[in-house]
Amino acid sequence: MQVKDSVRSRRDFGLLAVICLVVQIALAPNIALGNGRANMALVFAGLASLMIGGRTGVVCGFVAGLIFDLSTTGPIGLMAFLLTIGSFVTGIEGRNRMADDFAGSMSIFARLCCAVTVGYHVAMLLVGDATSLVDVIFLRSVPTIILTMLAFAPFAYVISHETGSALSLGGKPSKSARSHGSRYDIGNL
């Protein structure tokens, strides 16, 4: 019998939000590749939309985008808009894709990351923050996509390979779950 521990899920999800916020504000501005920096708001919105989806994923995308906008010099509301739309599209099914398919989740997030990052930097070109399309694509978007995907991968791996609650950031499988296993598990041979 699978028991849903909603308090633990909320606590773990809140911990994930705090980790992404601290990394976005404290570490991401200091780690650069060209003119690109990791977008932890995009990482959080992607995790929320792939794990929960639906209305909650969209709200998480909006809030993460708004916090990103308030912590940068870009126009307020641009990243919030992009992450809201991106979270809606990736989380429309409202199911936990992270638990189902790690590779599929990485592929979906890669497309989300490319669309949001290029959209954000092209909009920054339109408002005069960037100098040329070459600057936008090759010096800002591509490095940002690379760093954001590198930041997303460990979170996605841990979340998709843990058992227990919906998020289960620090939990280990119980002794009974480890000992019984599946008859198809190669580790039980």
Side-chain angles (χ1 to χ4, degrees):
M1 180 169 94
Q2 187 175 18
V3 177
K4 182 177 179 180
D5 187 2
S6 61
V7 173
R8 181 175 179 201
S9 297
R10 285 187 204 131
R11 184 187 67 229
D12 289 347
F13 200 69
L15 178 64
L16 177 65
V18 169
I19 290 170
C20 288
L21 177 66
V22 168
V23 170
Q24 176 67 44
I25 293 174
L27 292 178
N30 299 320
I31 301 172
L33 181 64
N35 289 336
R37 293 180 173 37
N39 186 345
M40 295 305 292
L42 178 56
V43 169
F44 178 71
L47 289 170
S49 65
L50 290 172
M51 287 185 326
I52 300 170
R55 185 177 297 158
T56 305
V58 172
V59 169
C60 287
F62 174 76
V63 171
L66 190 60
I67 290 171
F68 179 86
D69 288 335
L70 293 173
S71 68
T72 63
T73 58
I76 295 177
L78 178 59
M79 185 58 75
F81 173 72
L82 291 171
L83 289 183
T84 301
I85 300 299
S87 294
F88 175 76
V89 170
T90 56
I92 199 162
E93 292 179 4
R95 66 183 177 93
N96 189 351
R97 289 179 183 252
M98 298 294 289
D100 294 342
D101 184 21
F102 173 70
S105 298
M106 289 296 292
S107 172
I108 291 168
F109 181 76
R111 287 180 266 165
L112 171 69
C113 184
C114 290
V116 168
T117 302
V118 170
Y120 182 79
H121 289 298
V122 167
M124 296 302 282
L125 174 68
L126 295 175
V127 298
D129 191 44
T131 57
S132 69
L133 194 59
V134 172
D135 177 42
V136 165
I137 300 298
F138 296 108
L139 298 177
R140 294 180 189 226
S141 294
V142 171
T144 299
I145 291 168
I146 291 169
L147 289 172
T148 304
M149 288 297 298
L150 288 174
F152 178 78
F155 288 108
Y157 183 80
V158 168
I159 290 168
S160 67
H161 287 85
E162 288 289 325
T163 59
S165 72
L167 186 55
S168 191
L169 284 175
K172 299 281 185 199
S174 65
K175 182 179 177 184
S176 62
R178 285 187 303 237
S179 64
H180 293 297
S182 168
R183 66 178 177 198
Y184 301 110
D185 186 15
I186 198 163
N188 290 339
L189 289 177

